[in-house]
């Protein structure tokens, strides 16, 4: 990426987008989320204090869930910078290295229970760790947990309460592009999203196949009448469990206080923690991340006393929502949608605290080539393509072209080249907001909440890309028509 340097009198403003508090319906790479569409309990009536007690989380009396509109975690009392917002034992979380006993590694021929033999490939494979966590989620429904955990009854009750607060499975499913049909995917007009869906589809298919096979075996072994179990029903349950894992799991490192890593990363599902919404840590002011998380009390090859701890990045006021940054899996918009099932709200004019605050990008096609652009810089390859296009454009003023001919031939970003790119970016931005054809969808499809949810997210993604391209074009036009320098 090349910042504009030559011929610059009105350079790109160093801007960065800002996430507003973003609630999600429901990659494992970074972190968690929530939704206002729930099955079971009304969030307004749920006390997090009881859940904190069951999970041995601290402090137990300072967190509550908002119940109106987007759900989020807020504070009863203010918290100072660096202080603990939430601390939950790793032993209270679902861990990918502790799947239920029925998953893959059952009793051996002599009746002695084998320890789980998890290979390094399984630990790092998306389908491997996701399947193991999904098996733990499914195990709640099977009511078949046999783990030797202290206060097991409290932990079981807490997990059942947590499960009752999970998103509506149909709405969560509709929020994830991996489940979308071709019509909705095509309406996003985003090639990067389509490629990500293709990649995720095969990983998901592998995970579902493995889970279904194991789940079918344990159900058949425990069924007296041996009634046939519908594979399609089992596959749907496995998909639902994987949706929860995909949108709510986080990754933590196995490392000592001095930073020495002693094992592969651990993926966990942490109840209560997974209700915290996303905001950017690269921006400042209202709507930016005000907390961060990490593992504490961890020792070499020992996580028995380890805790997942959320600490305040700045002073957080009474009644303010706790927000954390989900990391790179939430950037740019299409990746966040693929990972978590929501499109963040970006403020392209927000103040930044990062030297290279690329939060959101949009794709731009020019002469059959695809480029990723952000409002503040231009890819070198795009400049070269645009320079060649400018040289072939007979509508360019000859006198103006003569002034910049040498630079254009060398593939430099001149005002004329900038105008060529800006014109193409504007054209692409307008195309994104043009209504897409509804195809062969039945008329009553808009009566289905699931279709409306998916179509709404597709529209939000298009609008997000539109805003990036328009800002990109505006900054380029500033180069084409630079403001006069102040005279002393």
């Amino acid at each position: 990426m090349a910042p504009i340097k030559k011929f610059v009198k009105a350079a790109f403003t160093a801007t960065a987008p800002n996430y507003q508090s973003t609630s999600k319906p429901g990659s494992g790479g970074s972190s968690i989320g929530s939704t206002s569409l729930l099955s079971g309990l009304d969030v307004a009536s749920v006390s997090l204090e009881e859940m904190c007690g069951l999970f041995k989380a601290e402090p137990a009396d300072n967190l509550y869930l908002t119940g109106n509109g987007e759900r989020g975690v807020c504070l009863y009392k203010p918290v100072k910078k660096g202080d603990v917002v939430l601390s939950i034992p790793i032993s209270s979380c679902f861990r990918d290295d502790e799947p239920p006993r029925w998953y893959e590694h059952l009793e051996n021929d002599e009746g002695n229970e084998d320890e789980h033999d998890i290979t390094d490939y399984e630990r790092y494979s998306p389908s491997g760790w996701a399947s193991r966590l999904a098996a733990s989620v499914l195990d709640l429904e099977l009511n078949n947990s046999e783990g030797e955990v202290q206060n097991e009854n409290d932990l079981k009750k807490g997990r059942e309460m947590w499960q009752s607060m999970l998103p509506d499975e149909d709405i969560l499913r509709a929020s994830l592009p991996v489940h979308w049909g071709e019509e909705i995917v095509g309406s996003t007009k985003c090639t990067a999203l389509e490629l990500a869906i293709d990649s995720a589809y095969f990983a998901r298919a592998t995970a579902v196949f493995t889970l279904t096979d194991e789940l079918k075996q344990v159900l058949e072994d425990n069924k007296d009448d041996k009634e046939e179990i519908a594979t399609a029903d089992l596959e749907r349950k496995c998909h639902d469990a994987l949706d929860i894992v995909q949108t709510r799991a986080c990754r933590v490192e196995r490392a000592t206080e001095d930073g020495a890593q002693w094992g592969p990363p651990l993926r966990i599902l942490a109840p209560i923690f997974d209700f915290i919404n996303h905001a950017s840590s690269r921006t400042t002011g209202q709507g930016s991340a005000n907390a961060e998380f990490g593992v504490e009390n961890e020792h070499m090859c020992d996580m028995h006393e380890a805790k997942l701890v959320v600490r305040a990045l700045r002073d957080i006021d009474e009644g303010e929502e706790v927000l954390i940054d989900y990391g790179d899996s939430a950037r740019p918009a299409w990746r966040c949608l693929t990972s978590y099932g929501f499109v963040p709200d970006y403020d392209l004019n927000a103040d930044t605290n990062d030297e290279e605050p690329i939060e959101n990008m949009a794709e731009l096609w020019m002469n059959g080539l695809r480029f990723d652009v952000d409002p503040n810089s231009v890819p070198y390859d795009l400049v070269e393509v645009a320079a060649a296009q400018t040289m072939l454009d007979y509508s360019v003023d000859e006198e103006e072209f003569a002034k910049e001919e040498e630079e254009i031939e060398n593939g430099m970003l001149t005002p004329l080249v900038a105008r060529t790119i800006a014109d193409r970016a504007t054209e692409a931005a307008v195309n994104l907001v043009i209504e897409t054809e509804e195809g062969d969808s039945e008329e009553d499809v808009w009566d289905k909440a699931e279709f409306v949810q998916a179509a709404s997210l597709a529209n939000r993604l298009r609008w997000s890309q539109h805003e990036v391209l328009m800002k990109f074009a505006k900054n380029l036009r500033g180069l084409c028509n630079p403001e006069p320098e102040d005279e002393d």
Side-chain angles (χ1 to χ4, degrees), residues 428-439:
V430 171
N431 181 60
L432 284 169
V433 295
I434 295 176
E435 289 292 331
T436 56
E437 297 182 3
E438 295 184 6

Side-chain angles (χ1 to χ4, degrees), residues 51 106 147 224 230 236 289 357 386:
M51 289 187 67
L106 305 178
D224 295 333
R236 175 55 196 267

Side-chain angles (χ1 to χ4, degrees), residues 145-314:
S145 178
E146 300 176 2
E148 296 179 1
V149 182
Q150 289 184 345
N151 304 308
E152 182 178 340
N153 291 335
D154 285 349
L155 183 59
K156 181 179 178 182
K157 182 180 178 181
R159 287 180 172 180
E160 289 173 350
M161 181 181 290
W162 169 80
Q163 186 180 36
S164 71
M165 297 171 63
L166 291 177
D168 177 275
E169 57 192 24
D170 292 327
I171 296 299
L172 176 56
R173 181 181 179 86
S175 302
L176 294 173
V178 71
H179 299 301
W180 290 358
E182 292 184 5
E183 179 182 351
I184 295 295
V185 174
S187 72
T188 65
K189 302 180 180 180
C190 181
T191 305
L193 179 72
E194 294 185 27
L195 294 174
I197 292 172
D198 288 342
S199 177
Y201 178 85
F202 292 104
R204 174 61 71 94
T206 301
V208 169
F209 176 82
T210 302
L211 275 170
T212 302
D213 186 56
E214 297 288 349
L215 189 58
K216 182 183 295 185
Q217 180 177 337
V218 72
L219 290 176
E220 289 178 347
D221 290 344
N222 295 334
K223 203 168 185 64
D224 295 333
D225 55 11
K226 299 297 181 181
E227 180 180 330
E228 184 177 352
I229 302 171
T231 302
D233 292 340
L234 292 181
E235 289 178 347
R236 175 55 196 267
K237 283 190 174 295
C238 293
H239 270 296
D240 292 343
L242 286 164
D243 289 345
I244 292 169
V245 170
Q246 176 180 329
T247 55
R248 310 183 82 83
C250 70
R251 164 178 164 159
V252 295
E253 298 297 332
R254 300 177 197 251
T256 58
E257 293 184 358
D258 59 2
Q261 187 168 346
W262 56 268
L266 179 68
R267 274 80 170 191
I268 61 175
L269 272 172
I272 306 174
F273 172 70
D274 68 337
F275 297 146
I276 301 176
N277 285 328
H278 167 74
S280 176
S281 62
R282 298 181 179 181
T283 57
T284 60
Q286 186 177 8
S288 62
N290 54 24
E292 61 183 352
F293 69 94
V295 177
E296 299 182 11
N297 294 339
E298 182 178 1
H299 306 289
M300 182 70 73
C301 301
D302 182 8
M303 298 193 71
H304 288 88
E305 298 179 0
K307 295 183 178 182
L308 183 66
V309 180
V310 180
R311 291 187 179 273
L313 286 171
R314 58 171 173 79

Side-chain angles (χ1 to χ4, degrees), residues 47-63 85-89 92 161 271-272:
S47 169
L48 282 188
E49 183 174 354
E50 181 180 2
M51 289 187 67
C52 286
L54 295 170
F55 287 114
K56 308 304 177 186
E58 298 176 339
D61 59 351
N62 198 32
L63 302 177
V85 176
L86 172 68
S87 173
I88 181 171
S92 294
M161 181 181 290
I272 306 174

